[in-house]
mmCIF file of all heavy atoms in Angstrom:
data_model
loop_
_atom_site.group_PDB
_atom_site.id
_atom_site.type_symbol
_atom_site.label_atom_id
_atom_site.label_comp_id
_atom_site.label_asym_id
_atom_site.label_seq_id
_atom_site.Cartn_x
_atom_site.Cartn_y
_atom_site.Cartn_z
ATOM 1 N N ALA A 55 41.485 10.800 1.394
ATOM 2 C CA ALA A 55 41.824 12.064 2.028
ATOM 3 C C ALA A 55 43.180 11.891 2.732
ATOM 4 O O ALA A 55 43.286 11.273 3.781
ATOM 5 C CB ALA A 55 40.742 12.453 3.044
ATOM 6 N N PHE A 56 44.211 12.400 2.088
ATOM 7 C CA PHE A 56 45.600 12.270 2.607
ATOM 8 C C PHE A 56 45.679 12.988 3.977
ATOM 9 O O PHE A 56 45.237 14.146 4.135
ATOM 10 C CB PHE A 56 46.584 12.910 1.637
ATOM 11 C CG PHE A 56 48.009 12.909 2.113
ATOM 12 C CD1 PHE A 56 48.696 11.718 2.343
ATOM 13 C CD2 PHE A 56 48.667 14.100 2.385
ATOM 14 C CE1 PHE A 56 50.006 11.723 2.796
ATOM 15 C CE2 PHE A 56 49.984 14.108 2.832
ATOM 16 C CZ PHE A 56 50.636 12.904 3.055
ATOM 17 N N SER A 57 46.280 12.302 4.915
ATOM 18 C CA SER A 57 46.416 12.854 6.269
ATOM 19 C C SER A 57 47.553 13.878 6.284
ATOM 20 O O SER A 57 48.733 13.529 6.196
ATOM 21 C CB SER A 57 46.722 11.700 7.216
ATOM 22 O OG SER A 57 46.956 12.226 8.510
ATOM 23 N N VAL A 58 47.177 15.157 6.348
ATOM 24 C CA VAL A 58 48.133 16.241 6.216
ATOM 25 C C VAL A 58 49.178 16.239 7.349
ATOM 26 O O VAL A 58 50.306 16.700 7.119
ATOM 27 C CB VAL A 58 47.359 17.602 6.139
ATOM 28 C CG1 VAL A 58 48.328 18.777 6.146
ATOM 29 C CG2 VAL A 58 46.513 17.661 4.880
ATOM 30 N N LYS A 59 48.843 15.663 8.502
ATOM 31 C CA LYS A 59 49.849 15.690 9.539
ATOM 32 C C LYS A 59 51.030 14.811 9.257
ATOM 33 O O LYS A 59 52.100 14.921 9.817
ATOM 34 C CB LYS A 59 49.221 15.383 10.900
ATOM 35 C CG LYS A 59 48.951 13.912 11.191
ATOM 36 C CD LYS A 59 48.367 13.801 12.576
ATOM 37 C CE LYS A 59 48.204 12.369 13.073
ATOM 38 N NZ LYS A 59 47.117 11.651 12.406
ATOM 39 N N ALA A 60 50.894 13.895 8.291
ATOM 40 C CA ALA A 60 52.016 13.056 7.908
ATOM 41 C C ALA A 60 53.037 13.849 7.136
ATOM 42 O O ALA A 60 54.263 13.693 7.327
ATOM 43 C CB ALA A 60 51.564 11.853 7.062
ATOM 44 N N ASP A 78 42.747 14.993 4.938
ATOM 45 C CA ASP A 78 42.239 14.830 6.321
ATOM 46 C C ASP A 78 43.067 15.792 7.177
ATOM 47 O O ASP A 78 44.289 15.679 7.179
ATOM 48 C CB ASP A 78 42.437 13.385 6.766
ATOM 49 C CG ASP A 78 42.204 13.221 8.243
ATOM 50 O OD1 ASP A 78 41.166 13.748 8.741
ATOM 51 O OD2 ASP A 78 43.012 12.532 8.928
ATOM 52 N N VAL A 79 42.398 16.765 7.780
ATOM 53 C CA VAL A 79 43.146 17.766 8.534
ATOM 54 C C VAL A 79 42.745 17.652 10.030
ATOM 55 O O VAL A 79 41.669 17.216 10.371
ATOM 56 C CB VAL A 79 42.876 19.188 8.035
ATOM 57 C CG1 VAL A 79 43.300 19.287 6.553
ATOM 58 C CG2 VAL A 79 41.429 19.602 8.233
ATOM 59 N N VAL A 80 43.655 18.086 10.903
ATOM 60 C CA VAL A 80 43.399 18.023 12.347
ATOM 61 C C VAL A 80 43.618 19.374 13.037
ATOM 62 O O VAL A 80 43.668 19.413 14.264
ATOM 63 C CB VAL A 80 44.267 16.917 13.028
ATOM 64 C CG1 VAL A 80 43.870 15.552 12.553
ATOM 65 C CG2 VAL A 80 45.757 17.144 12.798
ATOM 66 N N SER A 101 39.290 16.177 11.241
ATOM 67 C CA SER A 101 39.367 15.273 12.377
ATOM 68 C C SER A 101 39.978 16.001 13.571
ATOM 69 O O SER A 101 40.447 17.119 13.462
ATOM 70 C CB SER A 101 40.219 14.031 12.037
ATOM 71 O OG SER A 101 39.669 13.350 10.957
ATOM 72 N N GLY A 102 40.025 15.310 14.698
ATOM 73 C CA GLY A 102 40.721 15.861 15.875
ATOM 74 C C GLY A 102 39.788 16.025 17.057
ATOM 75 O O GLY A 102 38.620 16.378 16.929
ATOM 76 N N ASN A 122 34.538 15.283 11.562
ATOM 77 C CA ASN A 122 34.553 14.050 12.378
ATOM 78 C C ASN A 122 34.525 14.474 13.822
ATOM 79 O O ASN A 122 35.554 14.898 14.380
ATOM 80 C CB ASN A 122 35.755 13.182 12.011
ATOM 81 C CG ASN A 122 35.611 12.592 10.637
ATOM 82 O OD1 ASN A 122 34.506 12.386 10.143
ATOM 83 N ND2 ASN A 122 36.735 12.292 10.018
ATOM 84 N N GLU A 124 34.078 14.241 17.884
ATOM 85 C CA GLU A 124 34.537 13.263 18.845
ATOM 86 C C GLU A 124 33.847 13.287 20.181
ATOM 87 O O GLU A 124 34.187 12.485 21.079
ATOM 88 C CB GLU A 124 36.073 13.411 19.012
ATOM 89 C CG GLU A 124 36.830 13.227 17.737
ATOM 90 C CD GLU A 124 38.207 12.563 17.953
ATOM 91 O OE1 GLU A 124 38.455 11.977 18.976
ATOM 92 O OE2 GLU A 124 39.031 12.658 16.999
ATOM 93 N N ARG A 148 33.298 10.286 15.189
ATOM 94 C CA ARG A 148 34.372 9.302 15.293
ATOM 95 C C ARG A 148 34.066 8.443 16.508
ATOM 96 O O ARG A 148 33.959 8.962 17.605
ATOM 97 C CB ARG A 148 35.736 10.016 15.471
ATOM 98 C CG ARG A 148 36.837 9.001 15.740
ATOM 99 C CD ARG A 148 38.176 9.707 15.748
ATOM 100 N NE ARG A 148 39.261 8.835 16.037
ATOM 101 C CZ ARG A 148 40.524 9.245 16.052
ATOM 102 N NH1 ARG A 148 40.825 10.479 15.807
ATOM 103 N NH2 ARG A 148 41.481 8.398 16.339
ATOM 104 N N ILE A 161 50.922 5.471 19.446
ATOM 105 C CA ILE A 161 50.168 5.692 18.190
ATOM 106 C C ILE A 161 48.972 4.766 18.100
ATOM 107 O O ILE A 161 48.443 4.489 17.037
ATOM 108 C CB ILE A 161 51.069 5.611 16.930
ATOM 109 C CG1 ILE A 161 51.954 4.385 16.934
ATOM 110 C CG2 ILE A 161 51.902 6.877 16.767
ATOM 111 C CD1 ILE A 161 52.830 4.233 15.673
ATOM 112 N N THR A 163 45.028 4.513 18.979
ATOM 113 C CA THR A 163 43.981 5.467 19.259
ATOM 114 C C THR A 163 42.604 4.848 19.428
ATOM 115 O O THR A 163 41.627 5.544 19.676
ATOM 116 C CB THR A 163 43.899 6.524 18.123
ATOM 117 O OG1 THR A 163 43.615 5.810 16.888
ATOM 118 C CG2 THR A 163 45.191 7.301 17.976
ATOM 119 N N PHE A 170 40.502 9.347 22.257
ATOM 120 C CA PHE A 170 39.931 9.518 20.924
ATOM 121 C C PHE A 170 38.540 8.880 20.789
ATOM 122 O O PHE A 170 38.286 7.806 21.304
ATOM 123 C CB PHE A 170 40.845 8.905 19.875
ATOM 124 C CG PHE A 170 42.156 9.620 19.833
ATOM 125 C CD1 PHE A 170 43.294 9.047 20.356
ATOM 126 C CD2 PHE A 170 42.255 10.858 19.194
ATOM 127 C CE1 PHE A 170 44.524 9.736 20.308
ATOM 128 C CE2 PHE A 170 43.467 11.524 19.109
ATOM 129 C CZ PHE A 170 44.600 10.982 19.673
ATOM 130 N N ASP A 196 32.666 7.468 11.573
ATOM 131 C CA ASP A 196 34.108 7.527 11.338
ATOM 132 C C ASP A 196 34.838 6.705 12.397
ATOM 133 O O ASP A 196 34.414 6.669 13.548
ATOM 134 C CB ASP A 196 34.539 9.013 11.424
ATOM 135 C CG ASP A 196 36.053 9.177 11.541
ATOM 136 O OD1 ASP A 196 36.786 8.581 10.743
ATOM 137 O OD2 ASP A 196 36.507 9.940 12.406
ATOM 138 N N VAL A 197 35.923 6.084 11.960
ATOM 139 C CA VAL A 197 36.775 5.351 12.918
ATOM 140 C C VAL A 197 38.220 5.488 12.503
ATOM 141 O O VAL A 197 38.527 5.598 11.311
ATOM 142 C CB VAL A 197 36.338 3.871 12.990
ATOM 143 C CG1 VAL A 197 36.720 3.107 11.710
ATOM 144 C CG2 VAL A 197 36.936 3.143 14.199
ATOM 145 N N HIS A 198 39.131 5.587 13.460
ATOM 146 C CA HIS A 198 40.591 5.572 13.175
ATOM 147 C C HIS A 198 41.244 4.976 14.399
ATOM 148 O O HIS A 198 41.215 5.582 15.455
ATOM 149 C CB HIS A 198 41.089 6.979 12.881
ATOM 150 C CG HIS A 198 42.595 7.052 12.792
ATOM 151 N ND1 HIS A 198 43.279 6.573 11.708
ATOM 152 C CD2 HIS A 198 43.547 7.521 13.647
ATOM 153 C CE1 HIS A 198 44.575 6.744 11.889
ATOM 154 N NE2 HIS A 198 44.769 7.305 13.049
ATOM 155 N N GLY A 200 44.471 3.805 14.897
ATOM 156 C CA GLY A 200 45.908 3.953 15.209
ATOM 157 C C GLY A 200 46.714 4.034 13.955
ATOM 158 O O GLY A 200 46.186 4.041 12.834
ATOM 159 N N SER A 201 48.034 4.038 14.140
ATOM 160 C CA SER A 201 48.953 4.226 13.035
ATOM 161 C C SER A 201 49.998 3.153 13.029
ATOM 162 O O SER A 201 50.264 2.531 14.055
ATOM 163 C CB SER A 201 49.610 5.611 13.204
ATOM 164 O OG SER A 201 50.185 6.029 11.984
ATOM 165 N N GLN A 202 50.590 2.932 11.841
ATOM 166 C CA GLN A 202 51.626 1.884 11.667
ATOM 167 C C GLN A 202 51.100 0.542 12.107
ATOM 168 O O GLN A 202 51.777 -0.234 12.809
ATOM 169 C CB GLN A 202 52.906 2.327 12.406
ATOM 170 C CG GLN A 202 54.145 1.407 12.244
ATOM 171 C CD GLN A 202 54.505 1.167 10.768
ATOM 172 O OE1 GLN A 202 54.077 1.882 9.884
ATOM 173 N NE2 GLN A 202 55.305 0.189 10.485
ATOM 174 N N LEU A 203 49.892 0.214 11.612
ATOM 175 C CA LEU A 203 49.368 -1.131 11.853
ATOM 176 C C LEU A 203 49.981 -2.094 10.851
ATOM 177 O O LEU A 203 50.032 -1.792 9.651
ATOM 178 C CB LEU A 203 47.851 -1.171 11.720
ATOM 179 C CG LEU A 203 47.051 -0.836 12.994
ATOM 180 C CD1 LEU A 203 47.141 0.627 13.330
ATOM 181 C CD2 LEU A 203 45.604 -1.282 12.844
ATOM 182 N N ASP A 234 33.772 6.554 7.146
ATOM 183 C CA ASP A 234 35.155 6.985 7.118
ATOM 184 C C ASP A 234 35.968 5.955 7.896
ATOM 185 O O ASP A 234 35.757 5.812 9.104
ATOM 186 C CB ASP A 234 35.286 8.386 7.713
ATOM 187 C CG ASP A 234 36.679 8.947 7.654
ATOM 188 O OD1 ASP A 234 37.640 8.166 7.590
ATOM 189 O OD2 ASP A 234 36.806 10.176 7.723
ATOM 190 N N LEU A 235 36.863 5.265 7.222
ATOM 191 C CA LEU A 235 37.612 4.175 7.881
ATOM 192 C C LEU A 235 38.970 4.596 8.395
ATOM 193 O O LEU A 235 39.764 3.779 8.844
ATOM 194 C CB LEU A 235 37.724 2.991 6.935
ATOM 195 C CG LEU A 235 36.394 2.312 6.587
ATOM 196 C CD1 LEU A 235 36.578 1.209 5.554
ATOM 197 C CD2 LEU A 235 35.722 1.737 7.835
ATOM 198 N N GLY A 236 39.273 5.902 8.306
ATOM 199 C CA GLY A 236 40.522 6.412 8.885
ATOM 200 C C GLY A 236 41.739 5.998 8.077
ATOM 201 O O GLY A 236 41.647 5.599 6.918
ATOM 202 N N GLY A 237 42.873 6.080 8.755
ATOM 203 C CA GLY A 237 44.137 5.681 8.094
ATOM 204 C C GLY A 237 44.780 4.588 8.914
ATOM 205 O O GLY A 237 44.106 3.775 9.532
ATOM 206 N N GLY A 238 46.110 4.547 8.922
ATOM 207 C CA GLY A 238 46.800 3.649 9.868
ATOM 208 C C GLY A 238 47.560 2.489 9.250
ATOM 209 O O GLY A 238 48.308 1.805 9.957
ATOM 210 N N LEU A 239 47.378 2.255 7.944
ATOM 211 C CA LEU A 239 48.108 1.108 7.375
ATOM 212 C C LEU A 239 49.618 1.378 7.426
ATOM 213 O O LEU A 239 50.078 2.435 7.060
ATOM 214 C CB LEU A 239 47.684 0.885 5.910
ATOM 215 C CG LEU A 239 48.089 -0.411 5.268
ATOM 216 C CD1 LEU A 239 47.605 -1.662 6.049
ATOM 217 C CD2 LEU A 239 47.609 -0.486 3.826
ATOM 218 N N GLY A 240 50.355 0.387 7.919
ATOM 219 C CA GLY A 240 51.800 0.576 8.186
ATOM 220 C C GLY A 240 52.632 0.429 6.946
ATOM 221 O O GLY A 240 52.174 0.016 5.881
ATOM 222 N N MET A 273 38.818 7.234 3.100
ATOM 223 C CA MET A 273 40.026 6.668 3.660
ATOM 224 C C MET A 273 40.986 7.810 3.961
ATOM 225 O O MET A 273 40.997 8.800 3.233
ATOM 226 C CB MET A 273 40.721 5.671 2.713
ATOM 227 C CG MET A 273 39.800 4.690 2.000
ATOM 228 S SD MET A 273 38.838 3.651 3.106
ATOM 229 C CE MET A 273 40.026 2.373 3.430
ATOM 230 N N GLU A 274 41.743 7.695 5.009
ATOM 231 C CA GLU A 274 42.639 8.769 5.440
ATOM 232 C C GLU A 274 44.089 8.268 5.585
ATOM 233 O O GLU A 274 44.683 8.333 6.650
ATOM 234 C CB GLU A 274 42.172 9.343 6.804
ATOM 235 C CG GLU A 274 40.743 9.818 6.835
ATOM 236 C CD GLU A 274 40.247 10.163 8.233
ATOM 237 O OE1 GLU A 274 40.939 9.811 9.219
ATOM 238 O OE2 GLU A 274 39.180 10.781 8.331
ATOM 239 N N PRO A 275 44.687 7.810 4.488
ATOM 240 C CA PRO A 275 46.054 7.307 4.621
ATOM 241 C C PRO A 275 47.067 8.479 4.737
ATOM 242 O O PRO A 275 46.904 9.528 4.101
ATOM 243 C CB PRO A 275 46.305 6.573 3.290
ATOM 244 C CG PRO A 275 45.428 7.322 2.326
ATOM 245 C CD PRO A 275 44.187 7.758 3.097
ATOM 246 N N GLY A 276 48.046 8.305 5.560
ATOM 247 C CA GLY A 276 49.111 9.298 5.667
ATOM 248 C C GLY A 276 50.462 8.659 5.415
ATOM 249 O O GLY A 276 51.072 8.777 4.348
ATOM 250 N N ARG A 277 50.898 7.905 6.411
ATOM 251 C CA ARG A 277 52.208 7.238 6.376
ATOM 252 C C ARG A 277 52.402 6.421 5.113
ATOM 253 O O ARG A 277 53.454 6.475 4.475
ATOM 254 C CB ARG A 277 52.308 6.323 7.576
ATOM 255 C CG ARG A 277 53.676 5.777 7.837
ATOM 256 C CD ARG A 277 53.645 4.750 8.991
ATOM 257 N NE ARG A 277 52.984 5.258 10.176
ATOM 258 C CZ ARG A 277 53.635 5.905 11.126
ATOM 259 N NH1 ARG A 277 54.898 6.081 11.074
ATOM 260 N NH2 ARG A 277 52.932 6.358 12.209
ATOM 261 N N LEU A 278 51.348 5.665 4.733
ATOM 262 C CA LEU A 278 51.461 4.768 3.591
ATOM 263 C C LEU A 278 51.842 5.519 2.320
ATOM 264 O O LEU A 278 52.546 4.988 1.449
ATOM 265 C CB LEU A 278 50.151 4.023 3.388
ATOM 266 C CG LEU A 278 50.215 2.948 2.350
ATOM 267 C CD1 LEU A 278 50.817 1.698 2.962
ATOM 268 C CD2 LEU A 278 48.855 2.685 1.789
ATOM 269 N N ILE A 279 51.346 6.720 2.188
ATOM 270 C CA ILE A 279 51.575 7.506 0.975
ATOM 271 C C ILE A 279 52.990 8.145 1.030
ATOM 272 O O ILE A 279 53.725 8.135 0.060
ATOM 273 C CB ILE A 279 50.535 8.621 0.822
ATOM 274 C CG1 ILE A 279 49.115 8.057 0.883
ATOM 275 C CG2 ILE A 279 50.768 9.414 -0.465
ATOM 276 C CD1 ILE A 279 48.677 7.202 -0.262
ATOM 277 N N ALA A 373 57.137 10.717 6.169
ATOM 278 C CA ALA A 373 55.920 10.918 6.981
ATOM 279 C C ALA A 373 56.312 11.102 8.436
ATOM 280 O O ALA A 373 57.165 10.382 8.939
ATOM 281 C CB ALA A 373 54.975 9.704 6.858
ATOM 282 N N TYR A 374 55.670 12.045 9.080
ATOM 283 C CA TYR A 374 55.962 12.353 10.495
ATOM 284 C C TYR A 374 57.455 12.688 10.702
ATOM 285 O O TYR A 374 58.040 12.336 11.712
ATOM 286 C CB TYR A 374 55.472 11.208 11.407
ATOM 287 C CG TYR A 374 54.027 10.860 11.161
ATOM 288 C CD1 TYR A 374 53.662 9.729 10.420
ATOM 289 C CD2 TYR A 374 53.015 11.698 11.600
ATOM 290 C CE1 TYR A 374 52.326 9.452 10.159
ATOM 291 C CE2 TYR A 374 51.665 11.438 11.324
ATOM 292 C CZ TYR A 374 51.343 10.312 10.616
ATOM 293 O OH TYR A 374 50.046 10.060 10.326
HETATM 294 C C1 PLP B 1 47.072 10.456 11.902
HETATM 295 C C2 PLP B 1 45.712 10.181 11.372
HETATM 296 C C3 PLP B 1 45.557 9.520 10.161
HETATM 297 C C4 PLP B 1 46.727 9.000 9.318
HETATM 298 O O1 PLP B 1 47.314 7.915 9.919
HETATM 299 P P1 PLP B 1 48.461 7.104 9.114
HETATM 300 O O2 PLP B 1 48.906 6.099 10.074
HETATM 301 O O3 PLP B 1 49.517 8.113 8.798
HETATM 302 O O4 PLP B 1 47.830 6.543 7.896
HETATM 303 C C5 PLP B 1 44.267 9.352 9.670
HETATM 304 N N1 PLP B 1 43.205 9.819 10.374
HETATM 305 C C6 PLP B 1 43.314 10.410 11.563
HETATM 306 C C7 PLP B 1 42.107 10.855 12.294
HETATM 307 C C8 PLP B 1 44.570 10.618 12.108
HETATM 308 O O5 PLP B 1 44.693 11.217 13.289
#
Side-chain angles (χ1 to χ4, degrees):
F56 176 66
S57 175
V58 173
K59 78 178 188 289
D78 169 46
V79 301
V80 294
S101 301
N122 290 334
E124 300 214 17
R148 173 172 178 179
I161 47 178
T163 59
F170 296 103
D196 166 49
V197 71
H198 172 74
S201 196
Q202 184 55 15
L203 273 71
D234 183 335
L235 295 176
L239 192 58
M273 316 301 277
E274 302 171 349
R277 191 187 308 272
L278 187 81
I279 307 290
Y374 307 103

